[in-house]
Amino acid sequence: MIASVIVDVKSKNVNRPFSYIVPPHLTQVIEKGMRVKVPFGSREVLGFVVDVTMDDESQYQLKPISDILDIMPSLTEELLDLAKEMSIDSCSFLINCISCMIPQAIKAKYEKKIVKLRDNDSINHLFKSKDYIAFSKIKKEDYGIIKKAIKEKIVDLRYDIKDKVNIKYETYLSLNNVSKVSGKKQQLIIDYLKSSGPISKRTLINDLQVTNSTIKTLIDKGIINEEKKEIFRNPYDNISENAIKHQLNSDQQKAYDIIIDSIIKQNNDIFLLHGITGSGKTEVYLNVIEYTISLGKEAILLVPEISLTPQIVSQFKSRFGSLVAVLHSGLSLGEKYDEWRKIRNQEVKIVVGARSAIFAPLTNIGIIIIDEEHETTYKQDEMPKYHAIEIAKKRAKYYQATIVLGSATPSLESYARAIKNVYKLLELPHRATNTQLPHTTIVNMAEEFKKGNLSIISEVLHQAINERLARKEQIILLLNRRGYDNFLMCRNCGYTVTCVNCDISLTYHKDHNRLKCHYCGYEQKAITECPKCKSHYLKGFGYGTQKVEEELIKTFPLARIIRMDNDTTTNKGDHEKILNIFKSKQADILLGTQMIAKGLDFADVTLVGVLSADTVLKLPDFRASEKTFQLLTQVSGRAGRHKDQSEVIIQTYNPNHYSIKFASQNDYRAFFKQEMKIRQLAKYSPYYYLTQIVTTCEDFQETFKEANKIVNYLKEQLSSECIILGPVVPQIKRINKLYSTQIIIKYKIEPNLDKVLESIMLTYQDHQVNVIIDRYPYFVI
Ligand code: ADP
Ligand code: ZN
Ligand code: ZN
């Protein structure tokens, strides 16, 4: 028997499986998807079994597998095949794709043990009196017994992750036998346990104010028992919110019926649920998922970023309780691993999570829902550069499952597909709460300036804020730029302080008196003297959230203001804290960057102010207008969700720009039409597929030279219909010490492209110039 193994070594010569002999004691146990230890060169490395074949071993000079690291495979066959496809699609190594499907915890150092769950003749002799044995102590000839016992749930394989993660235990106390005791405190404990039943030691000590030694005396006397129990870290333990179950309105019901029908028929449909902000998409998701699990099937719900959308998670938790696992990057390694194990052990039916939750090891998926499908967070920016929607399509196909893409502002690509009937369009055109959409005013900031108002807050907005404060209603203000000043400039000679690693000016952060680079993280103490001309006339220009906060405090001295941006949310749980303060009305104004634009539902918000609609519009990206439209629509959608007569005020220097105008009119269709015309003229997505090739190197000449070579090669290899642009140098020439160039390939049908890209990837694998290929590019200049 021979196993093909992908080894955990990321280099050009090893991006293919290697064959190993399966030693006799492993032939009964080995399976695809298992992690194994194999000799590789002079060392032993981790590998994944991708195939097992019966073959005559003697004709090859093969080494045997040293050991297995799983008893049950870490990857299902479906996921393994997906990884293979993904590796081709995303121009990245198979090992990278496999790695992003499994939790960090099992890629790290670990110590495995087999825990006995109940007595059974088949395994008792292995455990003797103990309730667990270290995996390394199990004799190889016993692997078969253990595997069978795991399947029958007699024992379980658990991992103790050294250093990185520990499985958490808590000590529980219970009454063993009731006998007379002398001490008052001791009697108190006994009485307590009599009524409480088994309880954690921590709680008991807390409630009774007794000491450890009193407890120990009772344990020694055999009166009470002590037992360690494994506890799952549950980051959403304290969710008490009771979600109201709404009767679906007619629009919701219609969408629901059509989706359900598709699930029952296993049509493998993709729906685009275009519902305006506040139209009650979440309620549709909840009901669809409820139905799916009643069929015995499983569901995945992807949300852009969980820390920013705590409300949707709590709704799912309160509706489905322990049937839900939550996966996202904000969890600790241990928490993630615990959630993953619950999924792998088939203890949950629903997985809610950010991008990587699309790889949840479910085995009977009925529905995949992707909320806010237009969000860029669904695209992974590191290798492997995959898009969660594309992965969802592959998994849904495998299970004949249904996909629902939901958004108030679908991506142009998705809406275009819906119009062509590739996706099926479902619409929720009204607010579920029957409130009116907010009224929107556009303020031309150039006029403000002419009037002599130099503040970042226009007169109209100023007045509107005052009205809300007087009525004790709440206000959300958006400014998409953190820090204090945008940059610091010498008024004498014009010098600006730039980053040592990037070609970009540093942003002044007043709270710590530091200058920071928002691209590479470099920071330094703020300067008071110009390094060039020694003048002290340094002045900050532009506005960041910190400066606006300061200005708000001065202008509205009685208002309670809370700020949410990357600087105020550095610790785990900070998002929730800020949102809770706002929700419980301990603050009047929530000021923040785009992280406040998504998914929040606060009943008393009746005013949303966008301080500058131009920050996104100015981005050097062909999607700048689309992103502006999305951001404005989303943030406007936070207003008046439960109250009429709410208002949105958008400040801009481009009051006539179509993305701002159509966003203010809530007219997605009009925006779509206009933007499609522009995309067609400029030959961009969705009219053309795009692939981006970025070259980076510390040496500018090298990176440009190699980029040119690549362009020539592409022109040689690809058809004449294919448009190849570049290499161009981006506006910010150097980031993190690296110069970069960009090449764009625009194409409609290019059967040769996969091969061409693969050969480029291999050519530059160990090259001084790094080449990154992106098949779903999101930042295109
Ligand atoms: P979306 O995700 O589409 O922006 P939500 O799902 O957050 O909208 O719903 C907006 C509000 O409408 C929520 O407060 C929700 O509780 C409420 N809602 C949803 N469906 C109904 C319904 N059928 N009847 C009344 N209220 C509803
Ligand atoms: Zn100067
Ligand atoms: Zn930098």
Side-chain angles (χ1 to χ4, degrees):
M1 192 184 261
I2 291 178
S4 302
V5 175
I6 285 283
V7 291
D8 188 13
V9 179
K10 287 157 197 134
S11 154
K12 108 167 158 186
N13 301 317
V14 295
N15 189 34
R16 60 174 178 87
F18 287 83
S19 297
Y20 289 89
I21 293 173
V22 181
H25 67 273
L26 291 180
T27 52
Q28 295 299 313
V29 213
I30 200 104
E31 260 186 83
K32 279 197 212 176
M34 271 186 179
R35 294 173 306 142
V36 290
K37 201 158 52 164
V38 290
F40 191 80
S42 57
R43 54 198 168 128
E44 292 213 304
V45 297
L46 170 76
F48 291 84
V49 178
V50 292
D51 212 354
V52 183
T53 50
M54 297 306 275
D55 210 337
D56 180 12
E57 309 161 357
S58 57
Q59 57 175 312
Y60 312 104
Q61 288 248 317
L62 297 180
K63 288 180 187 162
I65 287 175
S66 320
D67 202 357
I68 52 175
L69 299 172
D70 290 321
I71 285 274
M72 302 307 280
S74 282
L75 286 171
T76 60
E77 271 203 61
E78 182 239 334
L79 287 174
L80 200 57
D81 289 342
L82 178 64
K84 289 177 195 165
E85 250 186 90
M86 197 176 144
S87 138
I88 297 166
D89 272 9
S90 64
C91 298
S92 50
F93 290 151
L94 184 51
I95 188 69
N96 289 343
C97 298
I98 289 175
S99 286
C100 76
M101 293 182 171
I102 56 176
Q104 196 67 33
I106 60 170
K107 288 180 258 175
K109 274 190 171 178
Y110 42 81
E111 197 172 66
K112 285 166 291 148
K113 60 185 185 189
I114 301 288
V115 182
K116 184 161 92 177
L117 302 176
R118 56 187 164 94
D119 278 328
N120 189 287
D121 285 344
S122 69
I123 47 107
N124 281 350
H125 66 285
L126 296 174
F127 286 82
K128 305 207 174 73
S129 63
K130 283 189 294 186
D131 47 13
Y132 71 89
I133 30 176
F135 189 80
S136 54
K137 295 275 158 60
I138 295 172
K139 293 199 196 87
K140 298 188 168 161
E141 55 267 28
D142 290 331
Y143 282 166
I145 301 177
I146 295 289
K147 184 171 183 179
K148 188 160 163 274
I150 290 179
K151 280 198 171 143
E152 289 167 1
K153 296 204 189 299
I154 298 166
V155 301
D156 193 14
L157 178 71
R158 307 246 163 104
Y159 298 86
D160 270 345
I161 312 309
K162 275 195 204 155
D163 304 328
K164 296 223 170 190
V165 185
N166 281 313
I167 290 182
K168 268 202 197 169
Y169 291 97
E170 179 139 356
T171 308
Y172 272 71
L173 301 174
S174 59
L175 212 49
N176 198 16
N177 66 66
V178 188
S179 52
K180 269 255 159 265
V181 289
S182 48
K184 230 179 165 176
K185 285 266 176 187
Q186 292 183 21
Q187 190 58 49
L188 190 64
I189 295 174
I190 292 174
D191 292 341
Y192 185 93
L193 284 174
K194 236 192 254 172
S195 64
S196 74
I199 193 160
S200 89
K201 186 161 151 187
R202 213 157 35 122
T203 316
L204 184 130
I205 289 176
N206 236 330
D207 287 359
L208 302 182
Q209 299 295 319
V210 292
T211 60
N212 245 324
S213 72
T214 318
I215 296 171
K216 187 154 185 313
T217 315
L218 287 169
I219 293 170
D220 290 345
K221 284 184 187 164
I223 295 172
I224 63 176
N225 268 338
E226 178 182 52
E227 185 191 12
K228 276 194 173 9
K229 274 194 188 169
E230 182 188 352
I231 51 167
F232 285 104
R233 284 151 279 233
N234 189 346
Y236 294 93
D237 227 1
N238 43 13
I239 283 168
S240 53
E241 220 168 305
N242 248 325
I244 315 152
K245 198 169 168 176
H246 294 285
Q247 182 75 36
L248 295 183
N249 61 37
S250 61
D251 291 332
Q252 288 171 320
Q253 187 67 40
K254 202 171 136 201
Y256 170 86
D257 288 340
I258 295 172
I259 297 168
I260 291 301
D261 187 54
S262 162
I263 297 171
I264 295 170
K265 293 190 178 137
Q266 300 203 315
N267 279 349
N268 189 214
D269 289 316
I270 303 173
F271 293 102
L272 178 62
L273 180 62
H274 179 211
I276 63 165
T277 54
S279 58
K281 294 185 284 294
T282 314
E283 200 65 37
V284 176
Y285 303 156
L286 285 161
N287 284 281
V288 164
I289 288 181
E290 189 167 36
Y291 189 87
T292 308
I293 61 174
S294 79
L295 295 175
K297 296 189 176 198
E298 300 151 342
I300 297 178
L301 170 74
L302 294 191
V303 294
E305 224 172 307
I306 289 211
S307 54
L308 304 181
T309 46
Q311 288 168 329
I312 200 166
V313 178
S314 62
Q315 272 173 297
F316 271 78
K317 271 285 179 189
S318 72
R319 178 88 68 102
F320 300 111
S322 59
L323 289 176
V324 185
V326 180
L327 285 177
H328 69 97
S329 57
L331 300 180
S332 70
L333 278 185
E335 287 166 347
K336 259 191 243 176
Y337 175 51
D338 285 352
E339 296 296 292
W340 186 83
R341 272 189 309 155
K342 281 192 234 162
I343 304 167
R344 192 74 185 93
N345 296 343
Q346 308 192 327
E347 287 164 27
V348 298
K349 291 275 172 203
I350 303 163
V351 178
V352 177
R355 179 180 63 230
S356 65
I358 196 62
F359 298 115
L362 296 168
T363 52
N364 188 18
I365 299 171
I367 183 122
I368 301 174
I369 298 176
I370 302 182
D371 189 31
E372 311 287 1
E373 65 90 31
H374 61 278
E375 282 289 342
T376 50
T377 55
Y378 290 126
K379 164 69 193 305
Q380 168 148 303
D381 231 11
E382 300 118 49
M383 289 303 234
K385 294 182 172 245
Y386 68 89
H387 199 297
I389 294 181
E390 298 307 315
I391 303 291
K393 286 178 189 170
K394 293 186 203 298
R395 296 201 74 183
K397 187 153 188 224
Y398 182 90
Y399 292 105
Q400 290 301 298
T402 298
I403 295 180
V404 175
L405 307 173
S407 176
T409 52
S411 71
L412 250 69
E413 287 83 356
S414 293
Y415 203 79
R417 286 187 178 123
I419 285 191
K420 286 177 118 184
N421 269 326
V422 180
Y423 298 168
K424 298 190 170 156
L425 187 62
L426 301 170
E427 292 185 298
L428 302 178
H430 309 290
R431 280 208 156 165
T433 46
N434 264 326
T435 52
Q436 300 159 353
L437 278 169
H439 177 262
T440 303
T441 311
I442 298 174
V443 179
N444 184 349
M445 289 309 272
E447 296 291 328
E448 271 319 281
F449 189 76
K450 275 188 212 151
K451 277 195 289 188
N453 178 8
L454 303 183
S455 158
I456 193 175
I457 297 161
S458 62
E459 244 169 66
V460 180
L461 183 58
H462 187 136
Q463 200 185 335
I465 292 175
N466 268 333
E467 280 170 21
R468 276 13 182 243
L469 291 174
R471 290 208 296 261
K472 305 235 175 306
E473 293 171 355
Q474 289 182 299
I475 301 148
I476 288 180
L477 296 179
L478 172 87
L479 180 69
N480 225 352
R481 196 186 297 127
R482 69 196 173 96
Y484 190 80
D485 291 317
N486 202 14
F487 60 96
L488 213 55
M489 190 167 91
C490 169
R491 289 169 80 179
N492 191 40
C493 73
Y495 174 86
T496 56
V497 190
T498 52
C499 178
V500 294
N501 304 318
C502 317
D503 281 344
I504 188 99
S505 47
L506 297 174
T507 304
Y508 179 49
H509 286 244
K510 195 175 181 186
D511 46 1
H512 299 107
N513 196 33
R514 293 183 80 77
L515 296 167
K516 295 186 187 175
C517 172
H518 289 183
Y519 284 83
C520 73
Y522 167 83
E523 53 179 282
Q524 67 175 60
K525 211 168 165 294
I527 51 164
T528 51
E529 185 188 271
C530 172
K532 212 169 132 198
C533 74
K534 307 288 174 223
S535 115
H536 289 265
Y537 294 111
L538 290 162
K539 188 179 178 335
F541 286 87
Y543 273 88
T545 42
Q546 284 179 18
K547 189 158 161 184
V548 172
E549 184 182 26
E550 211 175 88
E551 191 167 320
L552 287 171
I553 291 169
K554 268 191 225 143
T555 320
F556 308 100
L558 296 178
R560 295 162 303 168
I561 298 155
I562 189 159
R563 175 163 65 91
M564 184 153 135
D565 55 28
N566 273 342
D567 299 312
T568 61
T569 53
T570 44
N571 297 319
K572 210 180 138 189
D574 283 347
H575 294 99
E576 284 84 348
K577 241 182 264 164
I578 293 175
L579 295 176
N580 279 333
I581 289 173
F582 194 60
K583 184 164 196 178
S584 58
K585 297 202 75 171
Q586 296 171 62
D588 307 301
I589 302 178
L590 172 64
L591 164 70
T593 52
Q594 66 196 17
M595 58 171 71
I596 61 171
K598 295 168 200 165
L600 302 175
D601 189 2
F602 297 114
D604 289 314
V605 174
T606 58
L607 172 65
V608 166
V610 178
L611 298 178
S612 167
D614 309 323
T615 44
V616 179
L617 203 54
K618 277 186 309 201
L619 292 176
D621 182 345
F622 80 92
R623 288 195 178 88
S625 300
E626 185 181 0
K627 283 178 186 159
T628 301
F629 181 85
Q630 286 165 349
L631 183 63
L632 294 179
T633 308
Q634 294 291 343
V635 72
S636 303
R638 302 310 119 213
R641 291 167 75 86
H642 299 266
K643 281 197 170 86
D644 280 336
Q645 280 167 10
S646 59
E647 205 179 349
V648 176
I649 294 172
I650 299 173
Q651 306 188 151
T652 174
Y653 284 95
N654 301 284
N656 295 318
H657 193 280
Y658 64 95
S659 65
I660 295 175
K661 234 172 46 198
F662 291 136
S664 77
Q665 294 162 3
N666 254 296
D667 195 343
Y668 177 83
R669 269 285 190 150
F671 170 75
F672 175 79
K673 276 192 190 150
Q674 173 93 20
E675 181 69 10
M676 283 296 269
K677 271 188 217 150
I678 292 167
R679 299 281 178 94
Q680 187 171 26
L681 280 174
K683 297 196 164 72
Y684 270 120
S685 156
Y687 288 96
Y688 279 78
Y689 290 110
L690 301 179
T691 289
Q692 180 188 48
I693 303 178
V694 171
T695 63
T696 63
C697 181
E698 287 196 19
D699 182 333
F700 178 72
Q701 304 223 329
E702 274 303 309
T703 190
F704 205 73
K705 191 179 89 197
E706 295 305 322
N708 269 315
K709 273 195 209 164
I710 293 173
V711 167
N712 290 336
Y713 178 69
L714 290 170
K715 284 185 176 158
E716 242 168 62
Q717 300 290 323
L718 299 175
S719 78
S720 55
E721 275 95 77
C722 177
I723 302 164
I724 298 156
L725 300 177
V728 292
V729 180
Q731 202 179 36
I732 304 166
K733 263 206 288 210
R734 191 180 55 134
I735 293 180
N736 224 345
K737 294 200 171 110
L738 295 173
Y739 288 97
S740 65
T741 78
Q742 178 194 274
I743 299 162
I744 291 289
I745 308 167
K746 297 177 175 180
Y747 65 99
K748 289 198 167 171
I749 310 160
E750 210 59 48
N752 220 3
L753 189 58
D754 280 353
K755 277 220 175 68
V756 172
L757 294 176
E758 191 188 350
S759 96
I760 293 174
M761 190 174 82
L762 290 176
T763 311
Y764 286 93
Q765 204 27 210
D766 292 318
H767 200 279
Q768 176 196 7
V769 173
N770 190 27
V771 173
I772 306 151
I773 301 174
D774 192 340
R775 304 298 299 271
Y776 309 99
Y778 259 83
F779 301 98
V780 177
I781 51 175

